[in-house]
Amino acid sequence: MINIIGLGYIGLPTALMLAAHGHEVVGTDYNQQLVETLKEGRTTFKEDGLEELFREAVAKGIRFTTEYQNTEMYIISVPTPYDRFSKKVDPSFVISAVKTVLDHCPDGATLIIESTISPGTIDKSVRPVIAVSGKQVNLVHAPERIIPGNMVYELLHNNRTIGADDKAIGERVKGIYASFCQGEIVVTDIRTAEMTKVVENTFRAVNIAFANELARICRHDNMDVYEIIRICNMHPRVNILQPGPGVGGHCISVDPWFLVGDYPSLAKVIDESMKTNDGQPAYVLNRIHDIMHERGLKDTARVGLYGLTYKENVDDVRESPTLQLLECQERHLAAPLKVYDPFVTQNIVSNQYHNLKDFLNDVDMVVIMVKHEEIKQNWDLLKGKIILDCHNICPLPGVYHI
Ligand SMILES: NC(=O)c1ccc[n+]([C@@H]2O[C@H](COP(=O)([O-])OP(=O)(O)OC[C@H]3O[C@@H](n4cnc5c(N)ncnc54)[C@H](O)[C@@H]3O)[C@@H](O)[C@H]2O)c1
């Protein structure tokens, strides 16, 4: 039996996938309400194919509980935020989960840590806890690469990395993931697995920062960044990403900081890139201000942000550029911005709308922060508005860009 610890965005689909592929699975989360929801037969977030996978896993006997199990194998997928001051990974959730697993597991059990951790975290933070417990367990690090919005597909098709102390244990764990994963699965050591996951997200962050910096340079001297990127990308070895309003989510906006925190004198490009991306919501706020000035709008004008999530067509708002922008705006004590997102049904910020037409009726200027499919189907409703399009997707004339 496999006991999955932490049933969030990563743990839940992983648990369901394993159960659907014939493994005996118990999903454990200390959030009682979340466990109750799952027990009642409801998923806790939206994702293409998740409902079907959930039903299949339930039919095959998956169980949900707040209790840790006594078993041979655990997959730990609890959060790993970073400490905003030191920039280092905060391993406290992982440590606490490992401690509780050690209280329940038999000698010889295998602990697979799926949470993203900085290189050396297992040596520095997990091994000492195991040593104190006196338990003999096998350690594995199997970082996850799936992207919200396409999680079920990517669980099935992505390549994976398994880091293990013992090659034979690594191969055994590879066999378990291979029961559903059609991608290539590489077995390596734990430190390499820790580093590769963080490096992958850092590569993305640095490339996004480059595109954002180009947008700022081009804006400064009135050049069209999109046309420039389009032409540059016709070069056979150039592939520049698109600029945007900032970076959110729990990976690209977080993991690269681990390297800055651990190697402050070495990770210079990474440090500057993260600052560039983190500064992008404030840059958008300045653009809003400049456009309002250009169009003769008063500070009290009605400005609306379209999109609250950190990426399109998902309901995850963690670290989202819109939330960062709102925080920044509050520091300036400006007139409150109105906000709408079709995927965010709870009220999480003030001046939030739950209907696109009501939102648009109440604003003179719309800032497209997230390129949800909904807005692409409703350009007609935006006619006559002043539009700042942070993603270069709006086909209407006279649209402003970042
Ligand atoms: N969300 C993503 O897109 C993504 C992608 C790749 C990797 N990751 C990594 O996966 C890990 C998990 O991320 P997530 O997005 O699933 O987080 P999440 O916050 O959605 O879920 C974590 C769950 O763990 C539970 N939990 C925390 N401590 C626990 C404990 N001691 N015992 C039992 N339950 C506990 C929480 O209640 C929560 O439900 C993180 O390290 C993250 O960086 C996330």
Side-chain angles (χ1 to χ4, degrees):
M1 184 252 282
I2 306 171
N3 189 195
I4 315 279
I5 310 297
L7 298 173
Y9 286 94
I10 295 301
L12 179 64
T14 305
L16 300 178
M17 194 58 91
L18 285 164
H21 286 79
H23 299 276
E24 187 187 350
V25 175
V26 176
T28 299
D29 200 296
Y30 64 16
N31 179 337
Q32 190 138 14
Q33 200 185 342
L34 179 143
V35 170
E36 285 309 317
T37 305
L38 295 170
K39 277 179 159 175
E40 285 162 14
R42 289 180 287 127
T43 51
T44 39
F45 58 95
K46 292 195 193 90
E47 188 66 43
D48 268 359
L50 195 68
E51 288 290 334
E52 294 82 347
L53 189 61
F54 185 80
R55 281 198 292 274
E56 199 182 338
V58 169
K60 297 227 170 125
I62 190 169
R63 285 179 290 129
F64 303 107
T65 171
T66 53
E67 303 294 322
Y68 282 56
Q69 305 296 298
N70 179 322
T71 186
E72 299 294 323
M73 188 155 298
Y74 297 84
I75 296 181
I76 296 173
S77 52
V78 295
T80 41
Y82 74 94
D83 181 290
R84 281 184 197 274
F85 181 67
S86 71
K87 308 291 190 201
K88 291 176 191 263
V89 68
D90 169 3
S92 56
F93 291 90
V94 172
I95 293 173
S96 153
V98 167
K99 277 186 179 159
T100 319
V101 165
L102 290 167
D103 287 342
H104 290 77
C105 73
D107 274 329
T110 298
L111 276 58
I112 305 169
I113 295 174
E114 274 209 9
S115 301
T116 303
I117 44 183
S118 60
T121 301
I122 289 198
D123 283 348
K124 274 181 277 185
S125 303
V126 177
R127 291 193 203 281
V129 171
I130 294 171
V132 168
S133 79
K135 284 256 167 82
Q136 297 296 320
V137 293
N138 303 304
L139 266 181
V140 173
H141 178 42
E144 184 50 77
R145 285 173 169 154
I146 55 176
I147 188 167
N150 201 22
M151 284 182 156
V152 175
Y153 177 88
E154 290 207 354
L155 266 176
L156 290 168
H157 297 279
N158 282 358
N159 302 323
R160 305 191 68 108
T161 315
I162 309 270
D165 290 334
D166 178 329
K167 188 97 180 151
I169 296 288
E171 290 297 332
R172 203 176 138 222
V173 169
K174 174 178 172 176
I176 289 169
Y177 283 98
S179 66
F180 64 84
C181 169
Q182 297 161 34
E184 189 178 332
I185 304 177
V186 175
V187 178
T188 182
D189 60 87
I190 285 183
R191 187 95 180 206
T192 305
E194 289 175 321
M195 186 64 172
T196 50
K197 170 66 195 175
V198 175
V199 168
E200 288 159 14
N201 285 341
T202 304
F203 174 86
R204 301 269 303 139
V206 170
N207 281 281
I208 294 168
F210 179 63
N212 286 337
E213 189 164 285
L214 287 182
R216 293 183 196 187
I217 293 170
C218 292
R219 170 66 41 212
H220 184 75
D221 252 344
N222 208 18
M223 294 178 271
D224 181 346
V225 70
Y226 299 105
E227 178 70 347
I228 289 162
I229 290 176
R230 189 181 72 79
I231 296 170
C232 289
N233 283 349
M234 293 169 83
H235 182 291
R237 285 168 298 284
V238 173
N239 186 13
I240 304 169
L241 302 179
Q242 297 294 304
V247 178
H250 251 210
C251 291
I252 299 174
S253 68
V254 175
D255 305 346
W257 282 125
F258 299 167
L259 292 178
V260 177
D262 283 347
Y263 308 98
S265 63
L266 299 174
K268 298 291 187 200
V269 172
I270 303 168
D271 188 16
E272 281 306 320
S273 300
M274 294 303 280
K275 285 176 184 152
T276 301
N277 291 340
D278 282 1
Q280 204 66 358
Y283 171 79
V284 173
L285 192 58
N286 277 333
R287 274 297 283 146
I288 297 172
H289 185 263
D290 289 350
I291 294 165
M292 287 171 69
H293 186 70
E294 184 184 323
R295 299 294 292 257
L297 293 180
K298 298 218 162 53
D299 277 356
T300 50
R302 305 174 310 161
V303 179
L305 304 178
Y306 177 85
L308 248 174
T309 60
Y310 85 87
K311 73 186 285 276
E312 64 277 14
N313 305 324
V314 299
D315 60 6
D316 189 348
V317 298
R318 295 179 298 178
E319 319 276 335
S320 91
T322 301
L323 290 177
Q324 295 176 44
L325 193 155
L326 290 171
E327 205 177 292
C328 188
Q329 174 227 282
E330 274 162 17
R331 286 203 298 271
H332 288 80
L333 296 173
L337 293 162
K338 299 170 192 301
V339 190
Y340 162 74
D341 191 303
F343 286 86
V344 183
T345 48
Q346 306 278 334
N347 268 330
I348 59 165
V349 292
S350 39
N351 299 300
Q352 190 181 334
Y353 289 70
H354 296 284
N355 177 290
L356 178 61
K357 286 188 179 157
D358 293 347
F359 166 70
L360 292 173
N361 279 338
D362 269 5
V363 299
D364 306 307
M365 178 173 175
V366 183
V367 184
I368 301 173
M369 295 291 289
V370 185
K371 47 183 175 174
H372 288 312
E373 204 50 43
E374 181 204 46
I375 192 90
K376 297 188 194 168
Q377 308 298 331
N378 284 291
W379 293 130
D380 272 3
L381 299 177
L382 270 76
K383 281 184 180 156
K385 306 281 179 204
I386 297 170
I387 301 168
L388 168 57
D389 175 4
C390 299
H391 293 282
N392 193 29
I393 51 166
C394 179
L396 296 175
V399 170
Y400 291 88
H401 296 108
I402 53 174

